[in-house]
Amino acid sequence: MEKETIPTCVDCGTQNCKYKDRTYPDFCPTENLKEEDRKWALERYDEGRNREIMIASAEVEYEGYCQWTRVQEIMEFARKIGAHRIGIANCIGLIREARIFARILRANGFEAYSVICKVAGQPKTSMGIPAQCESIGAAMCNPILQARLLNEAHTDLNVVIGLCVGHDSLFYKYSDAYVTTLVTKDRVTGNNPTATLYTADSYYRKKFFGGK
């Protein structure tokens, strides 16, 4: 027996939270929102630089809408929040892309400071990672150390370039500076993970849905 699916935002067809001229479905979290949750979230925007970040983000979205690339958006966002030293947490497999990005940053008046994923060269087995995992490389990725070194460098904004699934999670957790992502690694699709979503009903249908 299939487990009952609880509908959430992905199951909504109205998007009335955006358009405001339609009908919310019964399961809509906006329609069923507790006042204490709404109030709690709004109060968080008064913590630290959160409101400044939100305003800068909205301005970048508006000013560069369908005109600026992600690289341009990051630089404009950095300018708006006064970020000069930009940290780059990159995968060693995307060192070329990280170098290009650093060159662009420097050409536009920023300071680029990169820490690569294999920093310290720690053996995977020393962390309890199974020995067979060393067949694709003996050194472990070290996102927590990446974050610490960028923290010590007092970066104003950190940019992730291709950290592995999970490693990026740890980097986000331990970074003192706000973090945005430039590249999401996907070795199969040439770092374009949405290609899998676009082909989920065609080429990848059997892989994900068992031929249904």
Side-chain angles (χ1 to χ4, degrees), residues 11-25:
D11 304 299
C12 172
T14 71
Q15 298 181 6
N16 193 45
C17 52
K18 173 181 178 180
Y19 295 104
K20 299 295 186 181
D21 59 359
R22 305 174 183 181
T23 303
Y24 290 117

Side-chain angles (χ1 to χ4, degrees), residues 27 130 152 172 194:
F27 60 81
E152 291 180 351
Y172 298 142
T194 55

Side-chain angles (χ1 to χ4, degrees), residues 46-59:
D46 289 325
E47 293 182 352
R49 302 182 67 189
N50 291 349
R51 185 176 295 275
E52 176 190 359
I53 296 297
M54 279 296 297
I55 293 172
S57 301
E59 289 176 345

Side-chain angles (χ1 to χ4, degrees), residues 16-45:
N16 193 45
C17 52
K18 173 181 178 180
Y19 295 104
K20 299 295 186 181
D21 59 359
R22 305 174 183 181
T23 303
Y24 290 117
D26 292 339
F27 60 81
C28 176
T30 298
E31 183 78 347
N32 297 286
L33 187 64
K34 292 183 291 186
E35 177 60 21
E36 62 189 83
D37 289 336
R38 186 192 68 83
K39 184 178 179 182
W40 178 89
L42 292 177
E43 288 174 348
R44 300 290 79 74
Y45 291 109

Side-chain angles (χ1 to χ4, degrees), residues 186-201:
D186 188 325
R187 299 177 183 89
V188 174
T189 65
N191 302 323
N192 179 20
T194 55
T196 305
L197 305 180
Y198 298 142
T199 56
D201 289 321

